[in-house]
Amino acid sequence: MRKILVVLALVATAPLVSASEAPPVFVKKCKSCHGKDGTATKAGLRRGSPANLFEASRDKSREELERIIKDGVFSSEGKKKMPPYKNKLNEGEIQTIIQYILKRANL
């Protein structure tokens, strides 16, 4: 119950993001692979990023995006496709990224 309250408080206090403007944490931590507009960069494509992050996220839940961001993505052979960010981002930053992805995915 306490974890739910903490997450709700963080979501409620996360900066509101316009759908067209990437939040600074997304630009700093995600842009190198996912591009500022969600279009994968060459480096991202080499690592297995979807061609368009927002289109690929349309069928994902908030919980699934949180797991992906926190735990990273690994191939079936165990090769790291996306690093885990649970020790690199705080909960508010993770929720800000999720909020932005979901807004852009549902345009």
Side-chain angles (χ1 to χ4, degrees):
M1 179 68 166
R2 185 170 185 211
K3 183 178 180 182
I4 292 171
L5 292 175
V6 170
V7 170
L8 288 175
L10 289 168
V11 170
T13 59
L16 294 177
V17 183
S18 78
S20 62
E21 183 179 324
V25 67
F26 184 90
V27 173
K28 183 177 180 184
K29 296 292 187 178
C30 310
K31 182 180 92 168
S32 63
C33 289
H34 297 295
K36 189 173 181 179
D37 64 353
T39 302
T41 63
K42 288 180 183 180
L45 290 171
R46 280 193 302 273
R47 294 186 99 178
S49 174
N52 186 297
L53 173 65
F54 306 125
E55 288 178 13
S57 298
R58 284 195 177 127
D59 63 343
K60 298 209 179 344
S61 68
R62 174 176 288 280
E63 293 77 18
E64 189 173 2
L65 290 173
E66 184 172 355
R67 182 190 53 73
I68 289 168
I69 293 168
K70 286 183 174 180
D71 298 336
V73 178
F74 296 84
S75 71
S76 57
E77 297 84 33
K79 183 178 178 187
K80 182 170 42 175
K81 295 170 75 175
M82 180 180 136
Y85 283 91
K86 63 183 161 199
N87 296 322
K88 298 176 184 177
L89 297 172
N90 65 43
E91 193 65 32
E93 291 170 321
I94 291 169
Q95 295 305 318
T96 296
I97 291 169
I98 293 169
Q99 178 184 6
Y100 175 64
I101 291 170
L102 290 174
K103 279 186 176 184
R104 290 296 303 267
N106 293 304
L107 286 181

